[in-house]
Amino acid sequence: MGAQASATVNPNAKERVVGPIILLGPPGAGKGTQAKFLVDAFGIPQISTGDILRDNVARKTELGVKAKAVMERGDLVPDELVCDMVADRLQQPDCARGFILDGFPRTVRQAEWLDGQLEKMRAGKDAQGQRAYAPPVVIRLVVEYNQLLQRLTGRRSCPTCGLIYNVYYQPPKVPGVCDCDGTPLVQRRDDTEEVIAERLKAYEQLTLPLVDYYGSRRRLIEVDGNQPVEAVAAQMFGALENVNRV
Ligand code: AP5
């Protein structure tokens, strides 16, 4: 599936500097799904703040203990905690050609912090390094409300390989089992109707202002996320080609 959607991507894309790409969109918009296509095409890492936080919750780290109740309510984890976590991740050597931010930034404060952080990371780097920490390209996935609800309530994922399925749109070959490694699929604790409503509210109030933030800086690309997965990916790669990221 990835091969078809990224067929037009420059064959050297896995060696060249791509820079930061942000996937922006409400819960269920398909950020994680589309991030996997970008990882395959460019060979740069996906940094999902939701995944890192869930991992911390599972390991009962200090951060995980602080984040657990907030996430279960569908609220946002405090900016300082998330920014520190992202700062650590950006230092890893696999970010040197670029990285995909999935679910970050989610507030204007986080976006301002990221701009400052990238600027700091650019300072003192050679031309390649400077491009790796250039201002980000932001892909906004626009999806209708009812579609979001169905995607979130139908989502299942593989705890071993991370593949994402949907009982309505992308079911596994054998119900409840990962096609790749046979692991039983799981449902996220925050994918209940009650918590989904809170997550969508938090998105409207705190994250939607980022559309203006990045739009006014001419960094925003809008993609119609209502389409089938492959069509969304094709539109996304087409848009990235126009900004010379592929
Ligand atoms: P996080 O894990 O980031 O969740 P989210 O933003 O709510 O996004 P989702 O992962 O639910 O959706 P997605 O857009 O990735 O969709 P997916 O591809 O999976 O955050 C969880 C929590 O952590 C937050 O609530 C918050 O508490 C905390 N947090 C995280 N980051 C934070 C931050 N920066 N600041 C503060 N707190 C933070 O797809 C969904 C389903 O739809 C799947 O089943 C998929 O198969 C299906 N699907 C995808 N695309 C399509 C398509 N085109 N057509 C049909 N089905 C599709």
Side-chain angles (χ1 to χ4, degrees), residues 25-34 48-51 53-54 70-71 74-77 79 82 102-106 110 147 151-152 154-156 164-166 169-170 188 190-191 199 225-229 232:
K31 302 181 295 295
T33 301
Q34 297 301 326
S48 159
T49 42
D51 284 350
L53 286 166
R54 277 185 289 278
V70 180
M71 293 172 77
D75 289 338
L76 293 190
V77 174
D79 290 332
V82 181
D102 159 11
F104 183 90
R106 242 174 161 105
Q110 291 181 14
Q147 173 84 221
R151 286 186 188 180
L152 290 167
R155 172 169 47 195
R156 302 290 182 275
I164 305 170
Y165 297 86
N166 193 285
Y169 301 107
Q170 294 175 289
R188 260 169 54 174
D190 59 352
D191 276 348
R199 288 162 62 201
N226 295 295
Q227 310 172 83
V229 169
V232 176

